[in-house]
Amino acid sequence: MTTPDQPEEDRIADAGEYVLRLMPYGEHAAFEARLETDPALRDLVTAWETDFAGLTDDLTEIAPRPNLATRVAFSVDGRAPASAQRVADWWRGVSAVAAAVIMGLSFQLYQTSQPDPLGPMRGAALTDGENLMMHALIELGDTDLRITHIAGGPPPNRALELWAIASDAPPVSLGIVPAEGQTIVNLPAEIAAQIDTITFAISDEPLGGSPTGAPTGAILTTSGMTAF
Amino acid sequence: MASRQDIETYLFRIAQQDRAAHADLYQATSAKLFSVVLRVLSDTTDAEDALHDTYVKIWRFADRYTSSGHSPMTWLITIARNTAIDRLRARRVAEPYDDHAEFLADHGPTPEQAAVAGGERAQLHGCLDELPVDRRRAVTGAYLDGRTYAELAVEAAIPINTMRTWLRRSLIRLRECLEQ
């Protein structure tokens, strides 16, 4: 355990391991608790974080895809309840594998229903991290977006509406998400053409969808498309 | 190119719920932070999700920056890297870390922290070069690639306890060199 009475070398090594995220989980939690009451230990952590950050100068900067800025902007929108965002963040990390499995399974179902060989596919897993999971599949170059309900639904007397957001345009409604099973939505040509840079979002709306043509309720989830 | 002053101004405004400042910070820093998370995660989709989560955290916790004792880019890089490491470890179904310590607040920077924040990064490369190459590789593998002790040990073909001893000793040597 890291204490003020430990030899300084041990504290230096502990702080370095902590910053490098090498400590076993129990040690990491104990060290973190120690930081609250040990300013000299916090100094060591800050020193390591500052020094190690210099290693990132060796990395070549890479701009992310333009639609990520849109996703971020929507996520910091004040209408999204903080709790839904935190849970969605958690769900993304933990359920990435589950989403991939589900995506793989419905891709197989999609494939067997098609007479012709499929081209490259795009898919998105849309989840709010609590009970809602939908996913969207499209063959690259096509305009038919298949939206499959996996789990969950809107609160009573509300509806969930799906939106497609291009980087430089207001959200376009793709209608109410299906309560069960699968729906095919025909995408506007300009949305389908930009599928790799589109952000999909689900919002919580009154029954029948947004009365204004733009999202009015909380944004429950956003996602771009993944190639597979 | 945004200066340290620009970044600090953005963070100050973000702490006051200024969304335009958050968008400006994103434009100024996203390529840098994306390179950090992509190096850890390799997968573009995972990296984009991690970068998204990073900027949401920045939005929520910008008020904690001033009391953190870091330079602004170190603070941002640390959040980005820790977010990516969390995602990497969750992907491997290891226990995820709870990453809120970088948001330590309400303590204020100590004089040492303030001095360190203005420190010189170039020194690290010189000090790293003084380590044997296999130790240096372990340190950079841990920081940039998010390697665990188990992975580093396998890569170096040595027992985990030996790797842990190597790394702790290397950290002590590095700190001695950096304090010169």
Side-chain angles (χ1 to χ4, degrees):
Chain A
M1 184 170 94
T2 312
T3 66
D5 305 326
Q6 250 181 331
E8 184 62 8
E9 287 191 341
D10 284 347
R11 287 161 59 79
I12 287 168
D14 285 352
E17 281 187 313
Y18 172 78
V19 168
L20 292 175
R21 291 292 187 264
L22 286 169
M23 280 180 166
Y25 183 73
E27 284 185 43
H28 179 100
F31 184 91
E32 209 161 72
R34 200 75 196 90
L35 283 174
E36 281 291 306
T37 55
D38 192 334
L41 203 58
R42 287 200 299 277
D43 283 347
L44 281 175
V45 167
T46 302
W48 279 125
E49 287 172 345
T50 301
D51 291 322
F52 281 136
L55 285 175
T56 66
D57 292 343
D58 299 337
L59 302 174
T60 307
E61 295 194 8
I62 309 169
R65 285 183 294 175
N67 66 327
L68 193 69
T70 315
R71 270 181 71 190
V72 170
F74 265 78
S75 291
V76 305
D77 187 297
R79 292 171 298 170
S83 62
Q85 186 60 53
R86 262 200 292 282
V87 183
D89 291 345
W90 166 83
W91 183 265
R92 263 181 214 289
V94 171
S95 298
V97 170
V101 168
I102 289 168
M103 199 82 75
L105 287 174
S106 36
F107 177 53
Q108 284 171 12
L109 287 171
Y110 182 59
Q111 202 164 20
T112 58
S113 72
Q114 299 303 305
D116 300 317
L118 285 173
M121 300 296 296
R122 296 293 185 266
L126 293 154
T127 174
D128 71 345
E130 296 197 44
N131 65 337
L132 176 69
M133 180 109 173
M134 314 284 301
H135 65 81
L137 268 179
I138 191 167
E139 186 179 354
L140 190 64
D142 200 8
T143 54
D144 283 341
L145 183 74
R146 282 165 193 267
I147 302 155
T148 305
H149 172 270
I150 306 294
N157 298 314
R158 301 288 292 175
L160 299 178
E161 192 161 358
L162 180 68
W163 306 86
I165 310 158
S167 305
D168 54 356
V172 170
S173 174
L174 301 180
I176 306 296
V177 301
E180 57 183 12
Q182 195 179 80
T183 303
I184 298 176
V185 171
N186 189 252
L187 295 180
E190 64 274 11
I191 300 277
Q194 299 176 63
I195 198 73
D196 282 333
T197 57
I198 294 290
T199 297
F200 290 96
I202 294 179
S203 71
D204 173 358
E205 300 295 338
L207 282 174
S210 164
T212 68
T216 66
I219 307 292
L220 301 178
T221 180
T222 63
S223 183
M225 280 285 185
T226 306
F228 68 101
Chain B
M1 170 121 145
S3 68
R4 171 185 174 134
Q5 190 63 38
D6 292 338
I7 309 278
E8 284 192 324
T9 305
Y10 294 147
L11 287 171
F12 177 67
R13 290 191 186 144
I14 291 167
Q16 301 172 326
Q17 311 284 294
D18 184 339
R19 283 194 183 80
H22 188 262
D24 288 342
L25 181 77
Y26 181 92
Q27 292 307 321
T29 60
S30 56
K32 171 78 174 182
L33 299 191
F34 192 57
S35 71
V36 172
V37 302
L38 188 61
R39 174 65 180 255
V40 171
L41 291 165
S42 303
D43 178 79
T44 304
T45 305
D46 273 356
E48 286 183 343
D49 282 353
L51 194 69
H52 164 276
D53 296 350
T54 298
Y55 281 97
V56 170
K57 283 186 198 177
I58 292 166
W59 171 255
R60 282 213 207 104
F61 298 116
D63 60 326
R64 309 279 181 96
Y65 160 69
T66 49
S67 53
S68 73
H70 295 93
S71 75
M73 279 316 298
T74 297
W75 193 74
L76 296 175
I77 288 166
T78 303
I79 296 173
R81 180 187 169 266
N82 288 345
T83 302
I85 298 281
D86 279 356
R87 183 166 289 268
L88 183 70
R89 301 281 162 86
R91 188 205 274 174
R92 291 172 184 160
V93 202
E95 276 192 306
Y97 293 118
D98 177 18
D99 256 319
H100 294 300
E102 71 261 24
F103 309 129
L104 285 178
D106 304 319
H107 299 288
T110 66
E112 287 76 19
Q113 282 176 330
V116 162
E120 299 159 29
R121 290 176 185 178
Q123 241 193 322
L124 175 73
H125 287 88
C127 290
L128 271 174
D129 286 343
E130 288 185 13
L131 292 175
V133 65
D134 46 13
R135 269 66 161 177
R136 190 189 324 149
R137 195 173 290 149
V139 171
T140 57
Y143 185 78
L144 290 174
D145 301 310
R147 296 278 188 266
T148 61
Y149 271 134
E151 288 159 356
L152 291 171
V154 164
E155 282 168 15
I158 58 174
I160 292 181
N161 288 345
T162 307
M163 176 54 74
R164 188 163 195 189
T165 305
W166 273 17
L167 204 113
R168 286 178 66 87
R169 287 202 190 130
S170 300
L171 288 168
I172 293 162
R173 277 184 64 176
L174 272 176
R175 184 50 46 200
E176 277 170 12
C177 174
L178 289 163
E179 299 292 323
Q180 279 163 7

